[in-house]
Amino acid sequence: MSSVLTLKRVGVEVSPVGRVVEFADAPGGESRVVAHVERELPEGGIPAYLAARKTGVRSFVLWADPERRARLATLVTASAADGVATYRVLGAQGELIGTLVREKALHGKGLRTRWTVAQAGCPEAVGFKGRIFWWYVWWLLLPIQVAIGVGSLLSGGGDAARGPRRIIWRAGREVPLEFFSDDDEIHVHAPWVDWRLAAALSALIRTFDSWMGTPWDDKRT
């Protein structure tokens, strides 16, 4: 059975940090908040963070409670250059939970954005943004999509068509993780995946999503 982790935006009455991760034991099952997500600002505050994020740098905390009393995990950037960024997810005591690597399309090892998830003692899982077939369809229809997008922006009635965004991670013949963009859900199929690593992954993916408006960590306040 697969568990589900969902990144959600909430009001200050639920969490002052504005984003939470909910956990459900199965798709469609009852969910509960397991983490409160907040970006961690460097010295220099918001301007320094926003300047660094342009190169792929990210940093945020998963709190166990809305009062920020207990830290579950922290995501820090190990390196970010030339479209390839490596992130470490650390536990409450600073121990390494796992590593996430994002290789931007046309910058890394392929035409699609590549995500690699590595966890100590577990097989490495690799996933690509969208399926090749749907990317071909999307590019063939791009002129029509551009026209629709321009019309939508002028009328204020919607947004442009989105490229394929589903991600399926594979580790040999196993599929340990899947990302479903419509609901911001990470489905965890393998019991060996640390849920904190999956929760950090769900929050990290959305910092690179420009189709849904401003990414959650790109706010100016």
Side-chain angles (χ1 to χ4, degrees), residues 16-17 36 38 61-72 92:
V17 299
H36 301 256
E38 181 180 33
V61 181
L62 301 179
W63 298 104
D65 55 280
E67 291 78 24
R68 308 177 181 92
R69 292 173 298 190
R71 186 180 294 243
L72 292 170

Side-chain angles (χ1 to χ4, degrees), residues 1-17:
M1 182 178 294
S2 303
S3 56
V4 180
L5 290 156
T6 309
L7 179 70
K8 287 191 174 181
R9 181 176 182 175
V10 295
V12 294
E13 67 278 1
V14 176
S15 176
V17 299

Side-chain angles (χ1 to χ4, degrees), residues 55-57 77-81 83-87 100-104 208:
T55 66
V57 173
T77 303
S79 63
V84 180
T86 300
Y87 308 95
L100 308 174
V101 179
R102 179 184 185 268
E103 299 171 72
K104 188 177 180 181
F208 288 97

Side-chain angles (χ1 to χ4, degrees), residues 69-214:
R69 292 173 298 190
R71 186 180 294 243
L72 292 170
T74 306
L75 180 138
V76 298
T77 303
S79 63
D82 299 323
V84 180
T86 300
Y87 308 95
R88 292 174 181 162
V89 180
L90 309 175
Q93 306 304 317
E95 72 280 11
L96 180 65
I97 298 173
T99 302
L100 308 174
V101 179
R102 179 184 185 268
E103 299 171 72
K104 188 177 180 181
L106 303 177
H107 285 73
K109 299 177 181 178
L111 299 176
R112 295 175 291 166
T113 297
R114 172 186 172 116
W115 288 90
T116 302
V117 178
Q119 186 178 312
C122 301
E124 185 177 86
V126 177
F128 294 90
K129 182 178 179 181
R131 296 186 178 183
I132 293 178
F133 171 79
W134 291 115
W135 275 114
Y136 281 138
V137 173
W138 190 82
W139 282 110
L140 288 172
L141 298 177
L142 184 60
I144 298 175
Q145 294 170 14
V146 170
I148 294 174
V150 171
S152 297
L153 291 173
L154 292 176
S155 65
D159 54 42
R162 302 165 185 164
R165 294 175 296 160
R166 183 180 178 186
I167 305 171
I168 301 175
W169 281 268
R170 303 186 187 279
R173 296 183 178 181
E174 191 174 14
V175 177
L177 295 160
E178 285 186 80
F179 172 68
F180 294 87
S181 59
D182 289 344
D183 299 311
D184 286 347
E185 292 181 350
I186 291 282
H187 288 218
V188 181
H189 303 306
W192 48 263
V193 175
D194 191 306
W195 74 267
R196 295 170 298 174
L197 185 62
L201 178 61
S202 70
L204 179 62
I205 288 175
R206 275 309 187 203
T207 68
F208 288 97
D209 193 331
S210 59
W211 292 101
M212 298 293 288
T214 302

